[in-house]
Amino acid sequence: MNRIRCAVILAAGIGSRLRSIHNDKPKGFLQIGDKPIIEESIARLIYNGIQSIIIVTGYKNHFYDDLKNKYPFIKTIKNDHFETTGSMFSLFTAKELVNDDFLLLESDLLYESNALQSLLHSSDKNVILLSGATGAGDEVYVGVEGKHIVNMSKKISDIKKLGGELVGISKISQELYEKMGSHIDSHQDKKTNYHYEDCLTDLAGDNEINFHLIEDLAWIEIDDEQHHKRAIEKIYPLICRRDSEIELQKRVERNILLNPGPATTTDTVKYSMVVEDICPREREFGELVEGIRKDLVRIVHGEDSHEAVLFASSGTGGVEACLTSVIPDDKAALIINNGAYGKRMVQICDGYGINYIKYDIPFGDPVELDKLEQFVNANKNILSHIAFVHHETTVGILNPVGSISEIAQKYNLEIIVDAMSSYAGIPIDVNKDKIHFLISSSNKCIQGMAGISFVICNRESLQKTSAYKRRNFYFNLFDNFTFFSKSRQMQFTPPVQIFYALRQAINEYFIETEEGRNKRYVEMYEVLKKGLLELGFKFLVDEKYHAKILTAVIEPEDKNYDFNRMHHYLYERGFTIYPGKGAKLNTFRIANMGQLYKEDIENFLLTLRDYLSSNRITLNS
Ligand SMILES: *Cc1c(COP(=O)(O)O)cnc(C)c1O
């Protein structure tokens, strides 16, 4: 069975009966919950595994076109004749964009996730969703026979055997879509004022078009003020309740990972890996990778200037690829070393005999910009790059990318930023901060599975490296980039399922938005910080340098304290914490990345408090 990955939303209509409520905006921009119903629908589609959404627009199309800036998986196309044509004309406006089976939806629907799931899980190829009686006032009744639909009408007397009411969500196969197309082509009279529902019933005689009835489906189409009122008072709360119940049922047992990656993922990211086998040399997989490459760059706002190069490796592989590919033989990199990951850059350069100068800072102390600049100035003749870690995950310090970049610009150096544990958690703009190479991986703040590293490269900077003497093979940035650009294939076997998970994780990132994710992380950090301070803990790093994604906590001196015992106590209760790593004082570390919420942190703090009191550990204050 083919998985459905595409949805088409018909959104050309005017919705004239609702003007008083939504000020002339298109119907999809009515707001019942915390975002317009079209955005609710989009989020619901993404959380059910849909990967691309085509919106057919018409009336005030710019509202929908603007959504593309927020959600890169959306394409829009305008039906220029929306005022005089029916929904069939709109549906076929999207002809060039539709090349697979799809879900078809109307833009003004509020519905529970079960509506989508039942169609997605149905083994029938063409399915129209029906509900029990709604009493909405403008119901479309659907006549059926056996499993098939026969006709539809607003008059119940036209219906011989009632199957239910039409919802406006259907699953349409590519084959049926093509037949619908030929049907209008051969009936000139049906070109303009014809509706897709009518076409489906016209074709129902010769084609298997089935229905799926959900008797008490929570849904509503909002056409007038009565509907609007009912949506707010009754249907929307019901939808929220039902959807949260579905989430609870599906939930894979959830561990709260407070280690600095791999981070806790959503269930939808986990499930997205269960897909049919595919050879990664197929065009379809190439398109998946291409889309991911584009969106990874978009997350750091480098669409016009940067390219993502992907490797099958953990994050360190990306750092190794970058350092071994971009530093010319006759120059050196200045490596800022204020944590284990800065040190790792040094180790990589040692391993390959790459020239570098180390700028050492005790682990846990911030970069002093004046001193750094003096150091750069003293070595300016041999340097080509400044390499450093953005969020130094060893200690939870945020190195100031903007200020370091300014120093680099002054001396005409490029910068290499290990943004492994900040990318997608802290807003980054590669153009604003003039970042030439930025490295991250699939399993930290982007919230996918471990197995893919990527380097986001400024195009000109990457191009320059093509002339450099080779030190590496698998990890050559330029080779991987040119191979992919030419063939749209990864140079070597990619971790196929991890790519599907990354696709889903990126889509969920755009649904949550850059600000939304950062806000959630910062809120968790604030709860954590406050709770730890209340318990009497102290932090390694001065608060003003905290990255707010990981906190290094100084270990208690009490003789009853033992990290391994504390770790075990918490682990048994579903919380995974992490030991310290080479800092100037002994620490343990708590990260707040991944699909976690304030409540998870609150529960963690309660469990930590229980551990302390049951072991009679006191914290000196
Ligand atoms: C996690 C991390 C890495 C890479 O770790 P891998 O185990 O190779 O994925 C590198 N740098 C920083 C700053 C990190 O947080």
Side-chain angles (χ1 to χ4, degrees):
M1 191 176 63
N2 236 349
R3 238 167 62 119
I4 307 275
R5 298 215 171 84
C6 176
V8 177
I9 300 179
L10 300 176
I14 298 177
S16 48
R17 279 182 290 168
L18 275 166
R19 291 235 164 118
S20 59
I21 299 169
H22 58 98
N23 303 324
D24 277 1
K25 287 183 194 166
K27 289 206 283 182
F29 286 85
L30 258 176
Q31 189 157 338
I32 308 284
D34 58 7
K35 49 187 166 200
I37 59 174
I38 184 75
E39 291 196 57
E40 295 240 5
S41 185
I42 289 165
R44 210 163 259 119
L45 288 164
I46 292 297
Y47 279 110
N48 282 285
I50 293 297
Q51 293 179 351
S52 67
I53 299 173
I54 300 162
I55 305 181
V56 183
T57 65
Y59 177 69
K60 301 218 168 168
N61 57 305
H62 66 270
F63 279 97
Y64 290 105
D65 292 336
D66 286 347
L67 291 177
K68 287 192 289 189
N69 300 327
K70 201 164 164 191
Y71 305 118
F73 42 77
I74 288 182
K75 295 192 181 97
T76 59
I77 188 154
K78 188 177 178 199
N79 171 3
D80 287 319
H81 309 285
F82 68 92
E83 278 172 291
T84 51
T85 57
S87 61
M88 193 63 185
F89 195 91
S90 285
L91 182 55
F92 278 82
T93 305
K95 198 156 70 185
E96 261 105 83
L97 300 176
V98 174
N99 45 30
D100 210 343
D101 300 354
F102 60 95
L103 287 183
L104 178 62
L105 296 93
E106 291 164 28
S107 64
D108 53 354
L109 291 176
L110 260 180
Y111 56 89
E112 62 174 303
S113 281
N114 190 23
L116 301 178
Q117 291 185 0
S118 60
L119 297 190
L120 292 170
H121 296 157
S122 163
S123 55
D124 296 334
K125 288 200 80 109
N126 301 299
V127 196
I128 315 287
L129 184 65
L130 307 184
S131 77
T134 58
D138 57 355
E139 303 89 326
V140 175
Y141 301 104
V142 180
V144 300
E145 200 180 289
K147 283 171 69 185
H148 308 197
I149 63 160
V150 178
N151 66 335
M152 300 188 199
S153 175
K154 292 203 168 190
K155 282 192 286 183
I156 189 105
S157 55
D158 291 344
I159 305 289
K160 222 163 103 192
K161 177 164 184 274
L162 180 67
E165 295 179 12
L166 183 73
V167 175
I169 305 178
S170 313
K171 179 165 93 174
I172 310 280
S173 67
Q174 174 74 10
E175 191 190 342
L176 178 62
Y177 184 64
E178 279 162 18
K179 285 188 181 160
M180 292 166 86
S182 335
H183 184 70
I184 38 172
D185 284 342
S186 58
H187 292 79
Q188 283 307 320
D189 57 315
K190 293 185 167 159
K191 272 257 148 71
T192 52
N193 207 356
Y194 187 45
H195 292 280
Y196 80 88
E197 303 93 311
D198 298 327
C199 183
L200 289 172
T201 47
D202 286 349
L203 295 181
D206 300 327
N207 295 278
E208 185 151 334
I209 304 177
N210 299 330
F211 67 92
H212 180 86
L213 170 69
I214 303 179
E215 188 62 52
D216 72 336
L217 185 75
W219 75 283
I220 189 163
E221 178 177 359
I222 304 172
D223 270 333
D224 60 26
E225 300 196 14
Q226 269 307 318
H227 295 161
H228 187 243
K229 187 159 175 276
R230 193 168 130 82
I232 293 171
E233 287 171 2
K234 181 145 177 255
I235 306 294
Y236 189 70
L238 183 61
I239 288 173
C240 294
R241 203 160 63 236
R242 294 253 181 101
D243 276 6
S244 68
E245 279 164 12
I246 288 192
E247 259 173 36
L248 290 178
Q249 279 166 21
K250 250 197 12 186
R251 194 161 271 177
V252 177
E253 197 174 336
R254 185 158 173 272
N255 281 332
I256 308 298
L257 299 184
L258 302 172
N259 49 299
T264 302
T265 55
T266 59
D267 282 0
T268 35
V269 165
K270 295 180 188 76
Y271 284 118
S272 66
M273 290 186 290
V274 185
V275 286
E276 65 275 23
D277 294 317
I278 182 168
C279 171
R281 305 263 166 236
E282 288 301 323
R283 183 186 55 88
E284 187 187 332
F285 195 80
E287 283 170 5
L288 174 82
V289 179
E290 178 67 21
I292 289 174
R293 288 183 60 225
K294 282 218 170 80
D295 289 345
L296 288 174
V297 174
R298 191 175 167 133
I299 287 173
V300 287
H301 310 285
E303 301 86 305
D304 301 326
S305 50
H306 285 63
E307 294 283 349
V309 185
L310 280 55
F311 298 96
S313 77
S314 84
T316 304
V319 180
E320 182 157 335
C322 188
L323 292 172
T324 57
S325 301
V326 312
I327 300 163
D329 246 3
D330 57 349
K331 290 283 182 182
L334 184 151
I335 299 174
I336 299 177
N337 179 25
N338 65 341
Y341 294 106
K343 186 169 153 210
R344 190 170 292 177
M345 289 180 162
V346 169
Q347 291 167 319
I348 291 168
C349 289
D350 279 337
Y352 285 87
I354 297 167
N355 298 321
Y356 66 87
I357 301 171
K358 228 173 10 152
Y359 182 69
D360 285 319
I361 303 170
F363 292 7
D365 286 355
V367 177
E368 288 178 52
L369 293 164
D370 296 350
K371 285 196 188 152
L372 174 67
E373 179 163 357
Q374 283 165 22
F375 194 76
V376 171
N377 190 25
N379 295 288
K380 63 183 175 211
N381 294 328
I382 59 161
L383 292 177
S384 59
H385 292 81
I386 301 179
F388 63 99
V389 178
H390 185 210
H391 167 210
E392 186 35 279
T393 328
T394 323
V395 291
I397 211 167
L398 192 68
N399 288 323
V401 63
S403 314
I404 298 174
S405 177
E406 275 171 27
I407 297 176
Q409 286 165 52
K410 198 158 151 191
Y411 293 89
N412 212 5
L413 308 176
E414 295 193 338
I415 63 170
I416 298 170
V417 184
D418 170 351
M420 210 70 66
S421 57
S422 54
Y423 177 91
I426 297 174
I428 298 174
D429 185 324
V430 287
N431 284 315
K432 201 171 113 252
D433 285 332
K434 299 250 178 322
I435 299 173
H436 304 82
F437 298 98
L438 179 133
I439 307 142
S440 191
S441 70
S442 52
N443 62 271
K444 291 196 176 175
C445 306
I446 190 65
Q447 301 185 174
M449 296 292 163
I452 299 169
S453 67
F454 47 91
V455 186
I456 294 175
C457 313
N458 173 273
R459 275 188 206 123
E460 279 105 66
S461 303
L462 178 62
Q463 186 65 41
K464 268 200 299 198
T465 69
S466 64
Y468 297 173
K469 202 174 112 207
R470 298 297 153 105
R471 309 185 169 91
N472 50 16
F473 174 67
Y474 184 90
F475 277 132
N476 191 271
L477 271 187
F478 189 74
D479 282 356
N480 273 274
F481 168 66
T482 40
F483 190 93
F484 192 88
S485 314
K486 284 198 186 119
S487 66
R488 286 183 126 207
Q489 290 178 13
M490 294 282 286
Q491 197 173 6
F492 307 104
T493 305
V496 172
Q497 289 70 18
I498 305 305
F499 270 93
Y500 284 104
L502 184 56
R503 177 69 271 166
Q504 181 67 22
I506 292 171
N507 289 352
E508 291 180 11
Y509 170 83
F510 284 114
I511 293 286
E512 187 170 15
T513 74
E514 179 178 61
E515 313 82 68
R517 174 144 316 166
N518 180 246
K519 182 160 167 269
R520 180 167 58 82
Y521 280 17
V522 169
E523 280 173 2
M524 287 196 285
Y525 160 81
E526 296 293 348
V527 171
L528 179 69
K529 182 181 79 176
K530 182 160 170 280
L532 288 170
L533 289 174
E534 277 169 12
L535 288 172
F537 284 104
K538 294 209 161 66
F539 305 134
L540 175 72
V541 173
D542 189 336
E543 265 183 48
K544 67 172 180 283
Y545 301 112
H546 283 194
K548 307 189 176 179
I549 294 184
L550 177 137
T551 307
V553 185
I554 297 172
E555 295 196 293
E557 280 170 17
D558 192 302
K559 65 178 181 343
N560 293 330
Y561 167 82
D562 174 78
F563 175 78
N564 289 329
R565 286 220 303 275
M566 174 170 73
H567 173 273
H568 185 73
Y569 184 94
L570 293 164
Y571 187 78
E572 293 281 290
R573 288 158 182 78
F575 302 99
T576 305
I577 63 164
Y578 217 55
K581 190 163 172 174
K584 59 183 182 179
L585 294 170
N586 287 337
T587 60
F588 63 87
R589 291 180 287 167
I590 312 292
N592 48 281
M593 64 172 69
Q595 196 61 35
L596 304 177
Y597 306 92
K598 274 193 299 201
E599 294 73 22
D600 295 316
I601 304 295
E602 282 158 5
N603 290 334
F604 162 72
L605 288 164
L606 290 175
T607 315
L608 180 62
R609 196 185 62 191
D610 290 346
Y611 163 76
L612 295 172
S613 62
S614 61
N615 288 278
R616 273 174 274 121
I617 296 166
T618 53
L619 302 170
N620 332 323
S621 35

